[in-house]
Amino acid sequence: MDADVAALAQEIARARRIVLFTGAGISTESGIPDFRGPGGVWTTMRPIGFADFVASEAARREAWRRKFDSEPVMRAARPNRGHRACARLLREGKAACVITQNIDGLHQQAGVEAGQVIELHGNATYAHCLDCGTRHELDDLRAAFERDGAAPRCGRCRGLVKTATISFGQAMPEAAMRRAEAEARAADCCIVLGSSLVVYPAAGVPVLARQAGARLVIVNREATGLDDMADLVVHREIGAVFGAAVGVN
Ligand code: NAD
Ligand code: ZN
């Protein structure tokens, strides 16, 4: 066993209540690009903020065009070794929950119960009306988009329809954030997997765990915003090193 794997395995062995905190980096090995890593989505495209989405039909059309362009990749993605390792720690009761910034639903696909996944940035596998909250399925919206060339509107109230994700400038889901904070305070170990830890308030969750006395462990292929604060930092690929530490293939 190499030194990084051994150090990670030791952190897991000594912990009694782990909180897993995941970012886009855990899903790159499933073929979904991250945002800020090399080759990340934002090295080529500017994000569309919430204010622009609400204010401009052109921005909405562009957001939906990007969504439908990227959807086949998201739909084809399957959980990888990193997701399986998380699922195992949860199943064994070693970890209490996974708090994720991801919107891809891959933790659930790896067998983690929906109640054990706290999604801080929502979910991109469906959409909802910003006014009345009605859920809308992507297949229906795509058909209408291709037919009308206009950004989708709610069939019930004519409100704006948006993927069920949190954009820049949009309020965080309060209940999820409160749950995440409570879990962070209750944990004795917080393991961060694949997050640059620069997006707040999400990145405040591992900070809170550390301040409340948990050990902070970071696995990321490059430096993150919280490396200085961590008890263990491993700059390696998640699947190989975390998978080996947990003992999944
Ligand atoms: P980020 O793109 O800012 O950071 C990802 C980090 O993971 C980078 O530092 C990168 O070096 C690292 N990384 C990538 N692949 C790795 C691997 N195989 N092993 C180890 N490290 C790896 O992502 P973030 O911190 O999650 O913040 C980005 C925002 O983007 C979030 O708000 C999230 O909602 C959204 N996002 C989600 C997805 C998804 O759902 N899969 C994908 C892209 C972006
Ligand atoms: Zn509506």
Side-chain angles (χ1 to χ4, degrees):
M1 204 191 275
D2 74 43
D4 289 333
V5 174
L8 271 171
Q10 194 186 349
E11 291 290 347
I12 292 165
R14 69 188 274 188
R16 307 191 58 163
R17 191 181 174 99
I18 297 171
V19 157
L20 301 161
F21 182 89
T22 65
I26 198 172
S27 294
T28 56
E29 292 171 56
S30 295
I32 301 177
D34 61 11
F35 278 176
R36 294 178 188 76
V41 174
W42 290 345
T43 55
T44 55
M45 250 189 302
R46 226 168 52 85
I48 297 167
F50 187 65
D52 289 340
F53 186 93
V54 171
S56 150
E57 167 70 13
R60 288 192 288 278
R61 270 206 303 267
E62 172 63 10
W64 278 105
R65 190 190 60 74
R66 287 182 189 180
K67 171 65 190 162
F68 292 134
D69 283 355
S70 65
E71 216 211 331
V73 172
M74 190 80 108
R75 218 177 261 226
R78 293 292 169 262
N80 65 55
R81 204 174 167 195
H83 296 106
R84 287 194 291 277
C86 291
R88 172 138 173 202
L89 290 178
L90 286 154
R91 205 167 45 240
E92 290 174 346
K94 216 36 193 167
C97 65
V98 53
I99 301 169
T100 189
Q101 301 174 84
N102 292 347
I103 54 179
D104 54 32
L106 289 180
H107 285 299
Q108 293 91 324
Q109 242 193 76
V112 179
E113 283 169 41
Q116 289 185 308
V117 184
I118 302 174
E119 293 177 317
L120 296 182
H121 292 163
N123 191 306
T125 63
Y126 61 93
H128 58 194
C129 171
L130 291 178
D131 288 339
C132 75
T134 298
R135 176 173 165 141
H136 296 268
E137 302 308 325
L138 296 178
D139 283 341
D140 303 337
L141 298 176
R142 178 199 290 273
F145 187 70
E146 282 169 0
R147 191 185 56 232
D148 310 335
R153 292 271 178 168
C154 177
R156 181 172 293 174
C157 78
R158 303 302 299 155
L160 301 177
V161 175
K162 183 179 174 295
T163 54
T165 53
I166 309 299
S167 300
F168 279 104
Q170 188 171 3
M172 295 284 283
E174 256 182 59
M177 201 60 204
R178 268 201 305 272
R179 257 189 83 200
E181 287 168 358
E183 290 290 354
R185 283 198 195 90
D188 65 355
C189 176
C190 176
I191 304 180
V192 179
L193 302 160
S195 173
S196 55
L197 295 172
V198 296
V199 180
Y200 282 80
V205 172
V207 174
L208 186 62
R210 181 75 187 78
Q211 285 168 347
R215 289 182 64 82
L216 178 60
V217 175
I218 296 176
V219 183
N220 204 70
R221 62 157 78 116
E222 56 185 0
T224 79
L226 299 181
D227 284 5
D228 291 349
M229 197 185 276
D231 297 285
L232 174 67
V233 179
V234 176
H235 288 160
R236 299 259 299 270
E237 297 298 299
I238 294 161
V241 75
F242 187 61
V246 174
V248 301
N249 289 306

